[in-house]
Amino acid sequence: VLKGLADDGGLFVPERIPALPVSLGELKGMTYQETAYAVMKQFLTDFTEEELKTCIARAYDRKFDTPEIAPLRKVEDLCYLELFHGPTSAFKDVALCMLPQLLTAAKAQKGMKEDILILTATSGDTGKAALEGFKDVSKTQILVFYPKDGVSDIQQLQMVTQEGGNVGVCAVVGNFDDAQTGVKKLFADEELAQQLAERGYFLSSANSINWGRVLPQIVYYISAYSDLRREGAIEKGQEINVCVPTGNFGNILAAYYAKMMGVPIKTLICASNENNVLTDFLRTGVYDRNRPFHNTLSPSMDILISSNLERLLFELSGRDDKQVTEYMEQLAEKGSYEVSVPIKTKLHQTFAAGYCDDAQTKETIRRMWEEQHYLIDPHTAVAFDVLEQYRKESGDETPTVVVSTASPFKFCDSVLGALGVTELAEGTAILDQLAELTGVPVPAPLAALKNKSVRFSQTVSKEHMVDQVLEMLK
Ligand SMILES: *Cc1c(COP(=O)(O)O)cnc(C)c1O
């Protein structure tokens, strides 16, 4: 949790994947927080009961607009696992409300005196969720860089109006890759490291490769299964499928871990947009990032290197770290690799994959609204479309949980466009426009943007990001 990445550049994984601590039947009666404790204590064996329970209580409180934290919403014969009820209306809240608590507890336990400086590059959702999670956490500063031309208006407004005494936000000229490369350079900058150490700072990241972000995501797959049982939607031990809109492979990896722990999940359906590198990989066993990059309506999935896949390969290879290292080296050197036949076999046993383009995404949003009166965001629409394709091709009608990763109000322009609106309102008025058209209320955290003033308006070039860091620590 404190280190993020191992010294050799690999990702941290649990020494072993524990089984569920209690039967699924017993989990049925638990609150989200109780389930979180039961699951996380299996992994975080060096946290005391009190430490972990305190972390959970602080993470999952009234910041979420429902006491269920991750409610299931039934629409026709499907269940949507709504993960957007947190403070920034995106699923990343579930992990990023927890990570700062874990970091603070770990730091106290180790007796670390340094302050933590979190540096993060964001393509939209991570930055805001990280800012909200770390806001006013003591002995911590957070600085978020976002691409000037790469986030939606609402996403930008969410970040530049961020409150808190320990936060900084700065735009970077260019796209997400420029911001990301810039932040990576800051982490490798020895002169900066020296200056930070002199001022008593320890550098860390809120990136999705931190184990402290993957772990909290396992919890909601387990809570979803027990919710289905409690509602009588499935029988004891009955299998379900999950369908996950995927980018960096963190969310669907958490579902895989839940399956390993004993949740009866049959098939994990990986949904991508036109950046369909994972669709090809899960079907053929060849990962090839040498392909054009598309800016799509589901920008949080516009990714060609899915970092968390490394953790899956480790498990599927029988925990063969040498083999995984070879794949990762090939990926770095030539941008592609092909996994072994045994790994391919396991991939096909457990995963299905598909993708859809922007036109299908819009059509799905429109159809879902007109036929079911359920308003979904573009990422969730990708998942639903891919699930329909999968069901048609396979005939597999197993009860399925579709993971819903963002509020449609975070992507008002795309959603209104899908519903046939051509004249879009400006600024925050677009929130009301979508609310008036559909009768669905604007989520409180987004409605509150109207009354907030802009606190951060700096834009820097990639080369000058370091000055922002030093300025912040003055
Ligand atoms: C981050 C994100 C995703 C992708 O999740 P991964 O864990 O990176 O696969 C999907 N939808 C939304 C709205 C996101 O913010």
Side-chain angles (χ1 to χ4, degrees):
V1 168
L2 283 168
K3 285 190 73 170
L5 200 66
D7 290 332
D8 63 3
L11 304 188
F12 287 113
V13 288
E15 285 168 10
R16 58 183 186 85
I17 309 297
L20 287 173
V22 294
S23 74
L24 285 164
E26 280 169 82
L27 283 167
K28 228 167 44 172
M30 291 187 184
T31 63
Y32 190 86
Q33 292 80 357
E34 288 164 347
T35 307
Y37 176 71
V39 174
M40 291 200 225
K41 79 168 188 288
Q42 298 290 94
F43 292 92
L44 298 176
T45 46
D46 45 6
F47 282 64
T48 65
E49 176 171 350
E50 196 199 331
E51 279 169 343
L52 191 51
K53 283 191 169 160
T54 306
C55 288
I56 291 167
R58 288 189 180 145
Y60 303 125
D61 59 7
R62 295 265 179 86
K63 290 193 285 294
F64 285 75
D65 67 15
T66 159
E68 296 168 276
I69 307 296
L72 273 183
R73 163 92 182 243
K74 203 162 168 13
V75 179
E76 259 212 324
D77 67 329
L78 289 177
C79 279
Y80 289 79
L81 177 59
E82 293 189 344
L83 299 179
F84 54 78
H85 290 272
T88 79
S89 308
F91 101 95
K92 293 191 171 65
D93 287 330
V94 184
L96 280 165
C97 285
M98 192 63 195
L99 180 66
Q101 306 302 334
L102 293 176
L103 262 178
T104 309
K107 209 173 75 142
Q109 217 183 66
K110 296 258 174 235
M112 277 176 60
K113 296 276 178 296
E114 294 103 320
D115 285 9
I116 298 181
L117 172 65
I118 307 278
L119 293 181
T120 293
T122 182
S123 60
D125 289 340
T126 303
K128 177 63 184 180
L131 286 162
E132 223 18 72
F134 282 98
K135 168 182 80 178
D136 294 331
V137 171
S138 74
K139 297 180 74 68
T140 303
Q141 306 268 331
I142 173 165
L143 179 55
V144 168
F145 292 99
Y146 71 90
K148 182 84 186 141
D149 310 312
V151 300
S152 80
D153 289 353
I154 294 294
Q155 285 177 319
Q156 176 172 1
L157 206 55
Q158 277 188 298
M159 288 189 276
V160 298
T161 57
Q162 176 65 43
E163 287 157 1
N166 63 338
V167 302
V169 175
C170 182
V172 179
V173 180
N175 61 21
F176 173 59
D177 268 339
D178 295 311
Q180 168 113 310
T181 314
V183 166
K184 280 192 183 150
K185 281 211 185 106
L186 293 177
F187 273 92
D189 185 335
E190 284 177 20
E191 199 185 315
L192 177 66
Q194 181 80 35
Q195 283 171 305
L196 290 176
E198 279 165 16
R199 294 179 201 197
Y201 279 96
F202 171 90
L203 209 52
S204 187
S205 127
N207 201 294
S208 84
I209 52 177
N210 192 310
W211 174 249
R213 273 192 62 181
V214 178
L215 176 58
Q217 302 184 27
I218 300 175
V219 175
Y220 49 69
Y221 288 102
I222 295 166
S223 84
Y225 192 85
S226 26
D227 286 351
L228 286 171
R229 283 281 291 118
R230 184 166 44 217
E231 289 161 18
I234 52 173
E235 308 283 318
K236 185 173 180 214
Q238 190 178 344
E239 288 185 317
I240 60 165
N241 289 345
V242 296
C243 182
V244 189
T246 298
N248 219 7
F249 211 77
N251 203 352
I252 195 166
L253 177 78
Y256 179 75
Y257 283 135
K259 177 179 164 71
M260 286 184 80
M261 290 181 80
V263 181
I265 297 173
K266 191 173 74 156
T267 302
L268 296 110
I269 303 158
C270 175
S272 304
N273 59 30
E274 271 187 285
N275 296 295
N276 57 358
V277 62
L278 284 168
T279 314
D280 290 345
F281 172 69
L282 293 170
R283 287 180 179 173
T284 66
V286 178
Y287 194 99
D288 189 357
R289 63 159 299 200
N290 301 306
R291 58 181 73 212
F293 177 87
H294 301 280
N295 284 307
T296 73
L297 295 181
S298 44
S300 301
M301 293 150 67
D302 291 346
I303 279 181
L304 291 178
I305 299 189
S306 297
S307 316
N308 273 301
L309 194 59
E310 183 181 328
R311 287 186 165 114
L312 177 73
L313 294 175
F314 182 67
E315 299 302 334
L316 295 184
S317 64
R319 306 201 131 206
D320 184 343
D321 58 326
K322 293 212 174 48
Q323 194 172 27
V324 177
T325 304
E326 269 169 36
Y327 296 149
M328 291 303 114
E329 280 170 2
Q330 287 170 22
L331 181 64
E333 278 159 26
K334 56 185 178 96
S336 68
Y337 60 88
E338 177 167 11
V339 293
S340 67
V341 172
I343 295 183
K344 278 185 208 176
T345 308
K346 288 186 192 157
L347 283 175
H348 292 150
Q349 279 164 359
T350 311
F351 289 87
Y355 74 99
C356 84
D357 63 18
D358 279 354
Q360 288 165 290
T361 305
K362 279 188 174 168
E363 170 60 17
T364 304
I365 294 172
R366 185 194 63 76
R367 203 156 46 86
M368 183 63 90
W369 175 247
E370 284 176 6
E371 290 173 11
Q372 308 296 339
H373 238 61
Y374 185 49
L375 194 63
I376 55 177
D377 97 291
H379 303 78
T380 310
V382 168
F384 179 68
D385 184 86
V386 168
L387 174 64
E388 282 197 314
Q389 295 178 36
Y390 167 77
R391 285 188 150 179
K392 248 185 226 143
E393 282 163 26
S394 66
D396 178 0
E397 294 289 326
T398 304
T400 301
V401 170
V402 178
V403 179
S404 180
T405 48
S407 159
F409 286 89
K410 279 199 93 159
F411 303 95
C412 287
D413 43 356
S414 306
V415 174
L416 282 163
L419 300 181
V421 177
T422 46
E423 278 188 38
L424 301 179
E426 303 245 322
T428 52
I430 200 166
L431 294 165
D432 296 328
Q433 191 180 15
L434 183 56
E436 277 159 28
L437 183 75
T438 58
V440 179
V442 182
L446 298 179
L449 286 175
K450 285 178 220 163
N451 309 317
K452 291 205 172 150
S453 43
V454 172
R455 292 184 64 201
F456 304 100
S457 52
Q458 304 91 326
T459 302
V460 295
S461 66
K462 215 170 23 177
E463 293 70 33
H464 289 98
M465 287 163 69
V466 65
D467 303 338
Q468 286 296 313
V469 180
L470 296 172
E471 181 68 24
M472 177 153 183
L473 300 184
K474 264 187 191 159

